[in-house]
Amino acid sequence: MALAHAHASGMGGMRTSGDLVARMQMSRGMKIKEAKEYVANKLSLSVTEIADPVIMTEVRQDLKLGVISPQAGDALGIEAKCRIAEVLDIDINCVNRFKNKAGI
Amino acid sequence: MEKIFTRFGDGTPTEMSESELRADLEAGTEDAADRGKIPPLTEDELNHLFDIFSSPYKFISVEPGQEIVLTYDGAHVKIRRHGLNVERIQGLQIYEKVMGADTLELCHVDYSFKPIKPIVTFEQPVMEQALLTTHAPMFYGAMPNLGLYSQPDGPFPNPAELMPAGKIEEAQASHELAVKEAVRDIVFVGSCMIECGADGINIDSTGAAGDADFLAALLATQQLKEKYPHTCVEIGMAGEFILGMHAGLEFEGTRLAGLYPHDQVKLVEKAGGTIYGPVVNTNTTESTPWNVARVVTFTKAVGEVAKIPIHPNMGMGVGAVPTCDHPPIDTVSRASKAMVEICRLDGL
């Protein structure tokens, strides 16, 4: 059922930019249109392009935002979230905590 | 036109003629309009639903550009429920990488704040480790579940026993004590998870035990947002209508009993909630078109007044999704498309 919704109406998470758009809803309370436009603007892409899995895989790999199938050298987990916080210009709770604990 | 394939609200397959389909769509929207005192769907919207249900395809979707983001309650628990021997963090990784989840939710299988309180120190390291290896924003989720605060499961006299005995004031007093304890538990567990890095708290299945349950969620949200103004708090509902189990409880001057989703959302906003998850229950003896027209009518009314993002619940038994273990994709995809395209949704 979750898969049916994901394919029928979902953005696709890390396959595209669904996780980034969700972060804007969660951190700034943005409605979907505003959240998509914010992410598209930060990535210098169109709203259509941020929902495209091929374009977004390349963009995510270039910007080290985390990808579905990481290759050696790609950003993983908290590494990628540090980049996401920078690119979207938002605070991410676990990133701030990680930096504090790591002394970064 | 040949007969149109659809299902009842329990998932049983059925067929309809065009006139039967249209009649069910009209009856569904009229039922919601009558109960919620809200406008029924317009002729154009009913025509759009007619097109969705008369499509011959097994699976349909929204048009490109209309996609929304998804939140999940109890995400990885559903993987274990299928009998897969997958640990919680692995379950979250499957949601993120295999299923393309936009958000994640860590939770305990005993999905209520009260039983999590004494084991929260075992939950925190799991949250910390999950956050190191995943990418999507992470909720910690559980229910207020006020039923756990009355005897024999909890400390307070059972209102369900007091009410039939005519002890109305005693029952109400018990509800009020339960609210105070539940708020303490939600704020305690929520704070622990935020302190170890969670992006948000999902107070889920809110209102399951009636108006006191909803009040506990609102008050806990208020306190969590005062402590952590930048943290997301999502309130997801249990049903479409707040049952007046206490009947006299108010939040900021509004009586809670009897509220439908388009009024519930205003209180979630007042409490400082970041995302609101309305619920409209599925009627198992009516058709899916009837259920979809009904849920779209209720949810459209929410979308028109909501200032915060709304993520309606569309799991098994709610949001016109059939009440059966494995809701069929023909029905789920039609309900998904209908909701997103008509209701100004921000997510599901």
Side-chain angles (χ1 to χ4, degrees), chain A residues 9 19 24 28-29 37 39 46 60 62 75 87-88 93 99 102:
Chain A
S9 56
D19 58 324
M24 299 320 301
R28 303 265 176 95
E37 287 170 356
V39 171
S46 69
R60 294 186 75 114
D62 288 348
V87 167
L88 294 184
N93 190 8
K99 285 181 175 174

Side-chain angles (χ1 to χ4, degrees), chain B residues 108 110-120 123 140-142 189:
Chain B
H108 190 270
D110 198 344
Y111 195 60
S112 304
F113 284 101
K114 179 174 177 255
I116 293 163
K117 192 175 181 182
I119 59 161
V120 74
E123 291 294 274
Y140 189 84
V189 171

Side-chain angles (χ1 to χ4, degrees), chain B residues 154-222:
Chain B
F156 306 120
N158 195 326
E161 291 174 356
L162 294 169
M163 292 285 274
K167 297 180 178 176
I168 309 298
E169 287 178 5
E170 291 88 338
Q172 288 180 320
S174 180
H175 279 300
E176 289 160 22
L177 290 168
V179 170
K180 284 182 186 165
E181 283 299 307
V183 171
R184 279 175 54 184
D185 290 350
I186 296 168
V187 173
F188 178 83
V189 171
S191 300
C192 288
M193 303 318 291
I194 294 166
E195 293 289 347
C196 67
D199 295 290
I201 301 299
N202 181 16
I203 306 176
D204 193 43
S205 300
T206 295
D211 46 356
D213 201 294
F214 187 36
L215 180 61
L218 293 169
L219 293 171
T221 298
Q222 211 169 31

Side-chain angles (χ1 to χ4, degrees), chain B residues 10-29:
Chain B
D10 67 353
T12 307
T14 187
E15 288 183 333
M16 292 181 151
S17 66
E18 286 189 19
S19 59
E20 288 169 335
L21 171 58
R22 188 163 287 280
D24 267 20
L25 292 172
E26 288 170 1
T29 191

Side-chain angles (χ1 to χ4, degrees), chain B residues 281-316:
Chain B
N281 304 92
T282 298
N283 185 328
T284 55
T285 59
E286 296 286 355
S287 71
T288 296
W290 186 93
N291 276 296
V292 167
R294 185 172 182 277
V295 68
V296 166
T297 307
F298 270 125
T299 312
K300 183 187 160 206
V302 181
E304 285 174 353
V305 298
K307 297 184 181 73
I308 58 174
I310 57 168
H311 287 206
N313 288 262
M314 292 192 72
M316 186 257 282

Side-chain angles (χ1 to χ4, degrees), chain A residues 1-14 18-19 21-23 25-26 29-32 36 66-68 70 76-78 80-81 92-94 97, chain B residues 59 61-62 65 67-70 96-97 100-103 128 131-132 134-137 139 194-199 232 308-309 311 314 316 332 336 345-346 348:
Chain A
M1 179 180 56
L3 274 170
H5 280 305
H7 289 287
S9 56
M11 285 200 73
M14 289 176 66
D19 58 324
V21 172
R23 280 198 184 279
Q25 285 196 354
M26 292 174 65
M30 290 179 177
K31 303 282 278 180
I32 188 75
K36 283 183 177 180
V67 290
I68 292 284
L76 301 170
I78 195 74
K81 284 193 277 194
I92 296 180
N93 190 8
C94 65
R97 201 166 174 277
Chain B
F59 182 89
S61 74
V62 300
E67 300 92 344
I68 43 79
V69 292
L70 305 178
E96 177 174 82
K97 290 294 187 82
D102 302 301
T103 65
E128 290 177 328
L131 287 165
L132 288 174
T134 57
H135 307 75
F139 285 94
I194 294 166
E195 293 289 347
C196 67
D199 295 290
C232 172
I308 58 174
H311 287 206
M314 292 192 72
M316 186 257 282
V332 176
S336 210
L345 303 188
D346 304 285
L348 287 175

